[in-house]
């Protein structure tokens, strides 16, 4: 219980800070994150610019706040895409079984053979390097993982007594799937979706770092890291602060996901 409390408290606090920063970025930032000021370029952290300025004199804190908004939005839509389509595919595959399951899982396993980031890189060639291209690419890359987890849960549920009772009562297959089976898959879906949120933020940052993410001058943590790389000795804060934001966000997501797993997994509850 102590481990659960610690993970939930620290993870929840870090994620709350991220969400507050993202919401704040919708309405207010200390400075205009796009405004150039060559007289203040590469200024060190000070009372005027708490996290310093970049090579164009733009306030780093303002750009990090706006970058948090982009990360949360991309992560949320990516996970929503993967959860919706992955749950639907896994539900149909696990419940139908037979040749339907065989065909779906053959395609699913073929997609899983590619690392998610490499599959996303290939898909970005089709969708283009923009915010919604990243969302579709990462969503498609993560859907097979969600489908496999949901299918496994459905296979164990479809033979349970309450499912047989639903069939005996004359309920349709669709009603049984969506009313009795899918709600009982919420726990594994929630745990995996939490982890996927972290994967999406990390992948978006990696793609932006490589120049394949949201195009500049729109700030994201990844392209801020890439822009700060040439100035690593002259202005270390350009890479330090975006990197810390990514690291702390992933730490918070992992701790919160661990807490959710302990809370929702009956086997973990039995150990407490």
């Amino acid at each position: 219980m102590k481990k659960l409390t610690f993970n939930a408290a620290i993870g929840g606090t870090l994620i709350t800070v991220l969400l507050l920063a993202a919401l704040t970025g919708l309405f207010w930032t200390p400075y205009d994150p796009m405004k150039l000021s060559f007289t203040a370029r590469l200024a060190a952290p000070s009372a005027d610019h708490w996290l310093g300025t970049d090579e164009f004199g733009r306030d780093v804190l303002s750009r990090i706040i706006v970058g948090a908004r982009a990360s949360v939005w991309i992560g949320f839509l990516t996970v929503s895409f993967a959860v919706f389509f992955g749950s639907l595919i896994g539900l149909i595959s696990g419940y139908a079984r037979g040749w339907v399951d065989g065909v779906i899982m053959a395609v699913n396993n073929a997609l899983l053979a590619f690392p998610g980031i490499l599959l996303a890189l290939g898909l970005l060639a089709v969708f283009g390097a923009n915010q919604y291209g990243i969302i579709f690419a990462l969503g498609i890359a993560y859907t097979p993982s969600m489908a496999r987890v949901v299918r496994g849960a459905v296979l164990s549920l479809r033979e349970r007594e309450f499912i047989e009772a639903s069939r005996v009562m004359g309920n349709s297959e669709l009603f049984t799937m969506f009313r009795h089976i899918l709600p009982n898959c919420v726990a594994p879906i929630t745990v995996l979706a939490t982890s996927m949120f972290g994967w999406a933020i990390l992948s978006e940052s990696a793609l932006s770092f490589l120049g394949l993410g949201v195009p500049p001058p729109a700030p994201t943590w990844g392209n801020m890291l890439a822009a700060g790389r040439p100035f690593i000795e002259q202005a270390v804060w350009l890479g330090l602060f975006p990197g810390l934001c990514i690291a702390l966000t992933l730490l918070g997501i992992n701790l919160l996901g661990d807490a959710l797993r302990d809370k929702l997994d009956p086997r973990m509850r039995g150990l407490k």
Side-chain angles (χ1 to χ4, degrees):
M1 185 61 70
K2 291 181 179 179
K3 179 184 176 184
L4 173 62
T5 302
F6 173 81
N7 288 349
I10 301 300
T13 299
L14 291 173
I15 298 306
T16 299
V17 171
L18 170 68
L19 295 177
L20 287 175
L23 289 173
T24 300
L26 291 172
F27 309 104
W28 175 85
T29 54
Y31 295 88
D32 183 346
M34 303 293 190
K35 184 177 180 180
L36 307 182
S37 177
F38 291 101
T39 59
R41 65 186 301 270
L42 298 179
S46 64
D48 292 329
H49 300 279
W50 288 5
L51 302 185
T53 62
D54 66 7
E55 70 274 22
F56 297 111
R58 298 172 298 193
D59 183 63
V60 171
L61 176 59
S62 300
R63 292 178 64 79
I64 283 178
I65 292 173
V66 175
R69 182 182 68 193
S71 293
V72 169
W73 182 242
I74 290 172
F76 173 76
L77 290 183
T78 297
V79 172
S80 298
F81 183 101
V83 167
F84 179 81
F85 289 103
S87 298
L88 186 62
I89 292 169
L91 182 62
I92 294 171
S93 178
Y95 192 82
R97 297 197 300 186
W99 67 269
V100 174
D101 182 36
V103 171
I104 291 176
M105 282 299 104
V107 175
N108 201 72
N109 291 337
L111 292 174
L112 283 173
F114 294 91
I117 191 70
L118 291 181
L119 182 57
L121 282 171
L123 292 170
L124 278 173
V126 178
F127 297 128
N130 56 70
Q131 178 171 283
Y132 292 100
I134 292 174
I135 291 167
F136 280 112
L138 292 178
I140 292 172
Y142 295 151
T143 293
S145 298
M146 181 61 70
R148 175 166 284 278
V149 168
V150 173
R151 172 183 177 270
V154 171
L155 287 174
S156 65
L157 287 167
R158 73 184 309 278
E159 305 301 334
R160 300 281 293 273
E161 291 80 2
F162 67 93
I163 301 301
E164 291 295 332
S166 178
R167 296 192 186 104
V168 170
M169 291 172 63
N171 293 326
S172 68
E173 301 292 344
L174 283 176
F175 181 88
T176 301
M177 288 167 58
F178 288 99
R179 177 64 180 84
H180 296 295
I181 292 183
L182 187 58
N184 284 283
C185 298
V186 168
I189 289 173
T190 301
V191 174
L192 182 57
T194 303
S195 298
M196 277 186 175
F197 187 68
W199 302 349
I201 290 177
L202 183 60
S203 296
E204 182 277 324
S205 298
L207 292 170
S208 294
F209 183 82
L210 294 172
L212 298 171
V214 178
T220 68
W221 293 343
N223 63 30
M224 289 178 70
L225 274 175
R229 183 173 51 179
F231 305 95
I232 191 65
E233 295 183 0
Q234 183 181 0
V236 67
W237 58 87
L238 294 184
L240 176 63
F241 294 122
L244 279 175
C245 289
I246 296 171
L248 291 175
T249 297
L250 293 178
L251 175 63
I253 291 170
N254 288 335
L255 290 175
L256 191 60
D258 189 51
L260 285 172
R261 183 201 64 195
D262 292 350
K263 181 71 174 178
L264 297 174
D265 191 337
R267 293 172 296 180
M268 299 301 297
R269 289 200 299 266
L271 296 176
K272 298 183 183 299

